[in-house]
Amino acid sequence: MNERNLAGLAAAVLQPGFVGTTPPDWVCRWLGDGLGAVVLFARNVADPGQLAALTATLRAERPDVLVAIDEEAGDVTRIESVAGSSRPGNLALGAVDDPALTEEVARDLGADLAALGVTLNYAPDADVNDNPANPVIGVRAFGAEPDLVARHTAAWVRGLQSAGVAACAKHFPGHGDTRVDSHHDLPRIGASRARLDAVELVPFRAAVAAGVQAVMTGHLLVPALDAELPATLSPRVLGDLLRDELGFSGVVVTDAVEMRAVADRYGFAGAAVRALAAGADAVCVGGEHADEAAARHLRDAIVTAVVSGELPEERLAEAAKRVGQLAAWTVAARAGRPARDLPDADGSPIGLAAARRALRVSGAPAGRLPLTTPAHVVEFVPPRNIAIGPETPWGIGEPLAALLPGTTTVRLAETDLPADPVAGVDDRPVVLVVRDLHRHDWMRAAVDRVLADRPDAVVVELGVPALTAGRVHLATHGATRAGARAAAELLAGLG
């Protein structure tokens, strides 16, 4: 095969990102030359009308283009990054533990994505978050119990795909039991093969059984499966395990290849080539390297690897074929469906109802709730999670002030923490808002100081509720707009 044809195959397996709210010229040109997909980020989304116009422009260049997005709902949202997700995330759905509700929420999200022109969603997160110290998964997982995660993963896949949008279970073979974020370094999962079968792999088996169209790899070193290569680059993990043992026949997508877990060791082009050789079908890139030069660098590296024999031509052709089959699935899934209105600013009523069901109150709320006067809210701000992104707003103060006018809010990070976070508050009700209190010593110490002086303070946990603090503790199981509104309603006596 000549290099021009090889370049077309190489472009077919790329899923690059770009900057801007309209497709740049290079993306449109590449779609005509064989580019199979693009991935959208929050930076590409201003409002529903703009996003629908963007995807229509892409589809005008190539009708079957895969338009991917990382829309988990919950804390990780791209289509609602301006206001926060109007749907609860996985941990909240797992706390309710009603698979029918999970399926309904995912179907509702899928309908919105389909209306916006998105055809592939990098979700659900199928990780079992059984390590409370995990810095990157947390509320993105349905929970810490394998069977619970499995039944909700399957329900989420069924719901999303019933709306005509392909689901992508991640991060194979399981990112839950780690203290390391693969954006920064290579996590090592020390579990035995028996443990992997009993825990990490259970939800992925359920996803495959539910007909998931894609699986995303995790940049994870799992010695029980491969002592040398990260899962994304390992034929043992992608071929022997995912294809042969689990029977998955859909598209294998890499997590972003510029992430330091693989890029620091192999270069992001080297990681892409190795991933394709190992059995991946599509290469996600563009969170950081989001221009034509980066895409060209990857495409040319893939072509060079085929010419040199490092990457068999048959493997590249197989990968491109699978991507084409997924594109055909999305076209067929959209065919004949009635048009749905674009999402409005109020968000999802189904999501708000689900968030209300996910609230959990512990302690002695009688006599402390509801709040009947304006409160003082202290929101403790942890270091940002790269997967969630810095642009998505969160917190209880604003929705609570809408219900209790006069409520005030301060936001405090570790670097600007005063000795007394509630100095001068007098006798107003105090609400302490935390995210993953159990993971941040400084936050826990500050909360303890406030509770020593104000034992009547209410603690609201927006992260994983692994640590219960205060006489009244409210857990939302996620820092979403829906969860915040539900919590504010409960605090104000409207829930």
Side-chain angles (χ1 to χ4, degrees), residues 268-285:
F268 85 105
V273 168
R274 286 170 176 261
L276 290 167
D281 304 303
V283 176
C284 175
V285 67

Side-chain angles (χ1 to χ4, degrees), residues 13 15-16 39 41 122 216 253-258 282-286:
V13 302
Q15 297 191 351
V39 56
F41 295 85
Y122 295 154
M216 177 175 281
V253 184
T254 71
D255 207 345
V257 291
E258 65 262 54
V283 176
C284 175
V285 67

Side-chain angles (χ1 to χ4, degrees), residues 178 180-189 218-222 228-231 260-262 264-266:
T178 176
V180 176
D181 182 347
S182 52
H183 290 89
H184 301 300
D185 204 350
L186 180 64
R188 183 182 187 278
I189 309 297
H219 301 325
L220 312 163
L221 184 65
V222 190
E228 298 179 358
L229 293 172
R260 295 184 63 182
V262 292
D264 280 1
R265 291 161 176 79
Y266 306 98

Side-chain angles (χ1 to χ4, degrees), residues 135-161:
V136 69
I137 303 301
V139 297
R140 301 168 63 197
F142 288 109
E145 197 279 313
D147 289 337
L148 179 146
V149 176
R151 60 180 171 266
H152 288 279
T153 295
W156 216 95
V157 168
R158 291 193 301 267
L160 186 76
Q161 293 189 169

Side-chain angles (χ1 to χ4, degrees), residues 379-440:
E379 296 177 344
F380 295 98
V381 182
R384 77 181 183 98
N385 181 322
I386 291 179
I388 293 172
E391 55 280 303
T392 305
W394 62 274
I396 300 296
E398 185 175 339
L400 187 59
L403 300 176
L404 295 175
T407 291
T408 56
T409 301
V410 296
R411 308 199 92 191
L412 301 173
E414 182 178 11
T415 54
D416 56 15
L417 193 65
D420 183 358
V422 294
V425 173
D426 302 321
D427 59 351
R428 277 185 292 162
V430 171
V431 179
L432 306 177
V433 181
V434 298
R435 294 179 77 172
D436 290 346
L437 181 64
H438 64 287
R439 291 202 304 110
H440 304 289

